[in-house]
Amino acid sequence: MATPYDKRFGFLVSDIGRLMSTEFDRRARGRLELSRAQCRLALYLSFLGPMTQAQLAETLDVTPMTVARMLDRMQEGGWVTRMPVPGDRRAFRVEVTAKAEAMLAEALNVGDELADFALRGLTEAEQGQLIGLLQRVRRNMTTPDGR
């Protein structure tokens, strides 16, 4: 059943994100030792490199306390390390461990399976076009002039 929201960009992006998250959780159950949120945290650290807890909270768009709790659990499990930042007693630099890097390969496999599922019925050209358009939208949102 179509609703007036079905043609609104923000609604579609948000709802697709929600559906992708739910399906990722379902597919990852029993395959990954980390939650979706923890995988996301580890992926950002892997892709962007080590960063402070404050930078990580901003990147993930969560509170610093949320990041601290996640990191406590992840450090206990050997997924991340935290090192003091010289000159700032309150700051810690966080990086993923080899254990986390190895697990991320399986998380990316789950993500690839999910993408195949979500994009089924689209030709390779349509998939490429969709990805390209979404990259442009993201660029518009992350740079002042959209370039």
Side-chain angles (χ1 to χ4, degrees):
M1 173 175 101
T3 70
Y5 304 114
D6 286 341
K7 294 189 180 188
R8 300 195 58 87
F9 176 76
F11 175 81
L12 285 170
V13 169
S14 177
D15 203 41
I16 290 168
R18 178 187 64 79
L19 293 167
M20 294 283 289
S21 294
T22 300
E23 184 63 15
F24 182 92
D25 286 343
R26 189 188 71 72
R27 289 170 182 259
R29 200 169 297 124
R31 290 173 65 180
L32 301 177
E33 296 178 54
L34 296 177
S35 70
R36 178 176 20 99
Q38 291 170 325
C39 285
R40 187 171 168 245
L41 184 151
L43 278 168
Y44 272 116
L45 288 173
S46 178
F47 292 151
L48 300 176
M51 62 181 80
T52 65
Q53 288 183 207
Q55 292 168 322
L56 195 50
E58 185 176 321
T59 300
L60 294 170
D61 195 26
V62 298
T63 67
M65 183 58 84
T66 298
V67 166
R69 284 192 301 261
M70 285 174 59
L71 290 173
D72 287 344
R73 290 188 298 272
M74 292 178 76
Q75 188 172 12
E76 285 176 21
W79 303 102
V80 298
T81 59
R82 288 190 273 198
M83 301 296 294
V85 172
D88 188 345
R89 295 182 325 153
R90 297 175 304 158
F92 290 91
R93 184 174 159 269
V94 184
E95 61 184 87
V96 291
T97 63
K99 178 181 178 180
E101 289 286 358
M103 180 279 312
L104 288 176
E106 184 60 21
L108 291 172
N109 286 338
V110 173
D112 290 344
E113 291 169 14
L114 180 54
D116 289 345
F117 175 75
L119 298 173
R120 70 189 185 278
L122 299 179
T123 66
E124 278 190 47
E126 289 170 329
Q127 291 179 29
Q129 183 179 24
L130 176 60
I131 297 299
L133 291 170
L134 290 171
Q135 288 171 334
R136 283 174 50 194
V137 169
R138 183 178 66 189
R139 196 168 39 252
N140 287 345
M141 299 300 294
T142 57
T143 58
D145 63 0
R147 293 183 186 166

